Amino acid sequence: MKRTSQFLKHSVAREDRPDGTILLRSNYELGPVAEKTADWLRHWANEAPDRVFIAERSGAGWREESYSATLEKVQAIAASLLARGMGPDTPILIMSGNGVDHGLLSLAAQYVGVPTAPVAEQYSLIHGAHGRLQHAIELVGPKMAYVVDADQYGEALALDALNGIEVVASRPGQNGKVTPFADLLKGDAGVDLAAAHAKVTPDTVAKILMTSGSTSAPKGVMTTQRMMCVNQTQLADSLPFLRERPPRVVDWLPWNHVFGGSHNFNMMLSNGGSYYVDDGKPVKGLFERTLENLSMVTGSLVFNVPVGFGMLLAALREDTALRQRFFADLDLIFYAGASLPQDVWEGFEAMAMEVKGEVPLMTSSWGLTETAPATMMQQEPTDRSGVVGVPMTGVTLKLIPDADMRCEMRVKGPNVMPGYFQNPDKTAEAFDEEGFFVTGDAMVFVDPDDIDRGMKFDGRISEDFKLLTGTWVRAAQLRIDMLACLAPLATDLVITGADRNQIGVMVFPDVAELKREGFDLTDDNGAYRCKLLQGEIHRRLAERAREISGSSTKISRAIVLSEPASMPEGEMTAKGNLNFRKVLTRRKDLLERLYDDADPAIITI
């Protein structure tokens, strides 16, 4: 199968220590690194002043801001921030999702060293999630807060926690206490913008990014200029085609997460690319907007989560014109968040060959909010999903293997955070005695005899548990396997069995899909009872059980939950990830029912 040729071959150096740990480094040197993000903006405003940098939907078309216009507005907003006395100790809380004004404000703050703290818009728009917003306000201590629409965010803006904080809105509505975003664009000639800009260094904190809070209260990751600038060099070192022509994306991934807001946004800025904000999402009712946006503009790179790629593949199969447009200029298909189902992977491969006779680089990487994020990259073509590749330039991976060569992952490099915001205890816990960041993630080699084949993510160490027999269960990988086994019946699930004799699964169903398939659901005090559905799940689990051996992967029982995961109750993070501990704690009665063979809602194998 012909593939695009612009890729960098893996080349890894390995050091085996006497204590059994393994160090991995790239044999390639780290390329030149910008000092701060404004260097990119100033460069492209000079080199390509009329090229679109950022755009969002406006009516039937797009509001587009060129590089030169972006720089002009960023400098004006930065001056307005300085005139308010803002600096490194006066963060800006950004409560809204992706948008042009959000991007301009972020870059303006970075221009003069004011940290921004973008938080999930759900925290403001969902009444029950205001506790998460309150936590972020108390942690960050902002001097300013931004929303796109003061009326839409009115309930959140009325929180006592925002008293005394200047609120800025692109659409202020009738709220006379809100500063119009247009006022920031007026600038202030009375400040020394150049002097403030000169004080920004690689160590200046650019963002405070909140962790997902899937295992504990969200922490604020101090993201420095160096982290973001180094990471873009590392990405361009791994993906050389980024430097050969300006990239373009139509992207929905939220900027309060490191993937969308640092990885993707800065990839466009650092390489002179164009970022079109997709105001759709891969969920029912919003995905149609994504397809509309793609009918107007398509990217040279596409980033998404696996469920998004599954929906996109189905849509492309039905739309010949969109399929031609989508693949015409495509260099990269990049998935993250979970492993891409192999059938979806192969579907894109076949479609690319049909349309253009070659396959763009299909890949993923590994990293965390604390690592800016990219740290490992599958930078050469592979024919399988799930591989996260090799260390990127400038980083050292420290692997601590167990008897099965499953390795705990630790990392050191210039893209790693200096610490958690105002949390020295958690910061100290996060690093080992050699200064390696302790990720808590596990990896396995694709081929232990050939390290250049890369590694695969193998779950979170903290999610593993033991059965009463002493058998270890790798819950993260088992969860991925079970999602594939139960697709499309389950939207998510929780693996159970800690200190019990058998592994069970608590299933969050796709209710709409089940109803379309004719399952007559009946709620039974927290669980669904439907003989047809129970029979189908039993059939799939039994079929799977016949194909495997060993108690560490056999699912012996299941329960289908009737109440969806609750964000207000902390069962779901803003990323849409389950907080497994919270689910098990909040639904402990259902967990006990799962191990009661006499309960009619339980499926047993």
Side-chain angles (χ1 to χ4, degrees), residues 191-493:
V191 300
D192 192 340
L193 182 63
H197 178 62
K199 292 180 181 178
V200 178
T201 73
D203 292 320
T204 299
V205 175
K207 299 181 185 180
I208 302 168
L209 291 175
M210 307 301 292
T211 60
S212 65
S214 59
T215 57
S216 62
K219 300 180 288 292
V221 175
M222 292 189 290
T223 304
T224 65
Q225 293 275 352
R226 175 183 288 106
M227 290 168 64
M228 295 196 298
C229 292
V230 164
N231 208 221
Q232 289 306 316
T233 294
Q234 292 169 320
L235 285 163
D237 287 346
S238 295
L239 305 172
F241 55 81
L242 291 174
R243 294 184 174 125
E244 294 175 7
R245 64 169 178 154
R248 183 177 63 254
V249 295
V250 182
D251 194 41
W252 68 271
L253 289 157
W255 293 347
N256 62 288
H257 299 155
V258 69
F259 184 25
S262 293
H263 187 286
N264 296 357
F265 184 93
N266 287 339
M267 186 179 285
M268 297 307 104
L269 180 61
S270 62
N271 294 288
S274 300
Y275 194 115
Y276 283 79
V277 175
D278 175 16
D279 54 352
K281 290 180 181 179
V283 296
K284 294 179 178 67
L286 291 176
F287 187 62
E288 293 74 15
R289 182 68 165 185
T290 290
L291 296 179
E292 179 183 328
N293 292 336
L294 289 173
S295 72
M296 303 167 71
V297 180
T298 53
S300 61
L301 320 174
V302 58
F303 300 96
N304 218 321
V305 294
V307 66
F309 276 121
M311 296 174 72
L312 181 58
L313 181 64
L316 292 174
R317 284 173 172 154
E318 299 296 322
D319 190 330
T320 302
L322 181 59
R323 185 162 68 244
Q324 294 289 331
R325 284 175 52 84
F326 179 80
F327 284 101
D329 204 31
L330 194 60
D331 290 326
L332 178 74
I333 295 176
F334 189 108
Y335 66 92
S339 184
L340 188 68
Q342 191 64 26
D343 63 324
V344 176
W345 175 287
E346 293 171 357
F348 274 102
E349 281 189 325
M351 196 174 287
M353 284 298 295
E354 175 190 340
V355 172
K356 60 186 298 186
E358 63 182 10
V359 179
L361 181 63
M362 296 179 62
T363 191
S364 187
S365 69
W366 171 85
L368 303 167
T369 306
E370 291 90 342
T371 62
T375 300
M376 301 180 72
M377 171 71 75
Q378 179 62 28
Q379 60 199 37
E380 63 179 33
T382 181
D383 60 359
R384 71 177 76 180
S385 174
V387 183
V388 296
V390 297
M392 301 173 75
T393 52
V395 300
T396 301
L397 305 182
K398 181 180 180 180
L399 309 176
I400 305 174
D402 62 16
D404 298 321
M405 285 304 293
R406 185 191 193 218
C407 303
E408 179 193 340
M409 172 69 69
R410 302 184 181 187
V411 60
K412 181 188 290 186
N415 58 311
V416 177
M417 69 165 188
Y420 295 112
F421 184 67
Q422 294 188 352
N423 200 332
D425 292 340
K426 289 294 183 183
T427 297
E429 293 174 9
F431 295 89
D432 70 12
E433 65 283 354
E434 293 185 288
F436 283 86
F437 176 66
V438 181
T439 72
D441 282 356
M443 297 282 173
V444 293
F445 287 103
V446 172
D447 181 351
D449 296 323
D450 184 1
I451 59 173
D452 285 338
R453 294 283 302 280
M455 303 193 80
K456 295 180 64 175
F457 176 71
D458 198 46
R460 295 280 297 169
I461 299 292
S462 61
E463 293 173 13
D464 294 352
F465 59 81
K466 277 186 178 182
L467 299 173
L468 282 176
T469 58
T471 300
W472 275 104
V473 176
R474 296 179 180 176
Q477 183 58 51
L478 184 55
R479 172 179 164 273
I480 293 172
D481 294 344
M482 289 308 304
L483 283 171
C485 175
L486 297 179
L489 307 179
T491 60
D492 214 330
L493 50 84

Side-chain angles (χ1 to χ4, degrees), residues 6 19 39 53 64-65 73 85 133 153 161 176 184 199 228 241 276 278 395 404 407 418 475 523 534 571:
Q6 298 171 330
D19 64 359
D39 293 347
F53 164 53
E64 298 176 327
E65 297 287 350
K73 291 181 178 181
L133 176 62
Y153 286 77
L184 298 185
K199 292 180 181 178
M228 295 196 298
F241 55 81
Y276 283 79
D278 175 16
V395 300
D404 298 321
C407 303
D523 186 5
Q534 289 175 315
E571 291 185 322

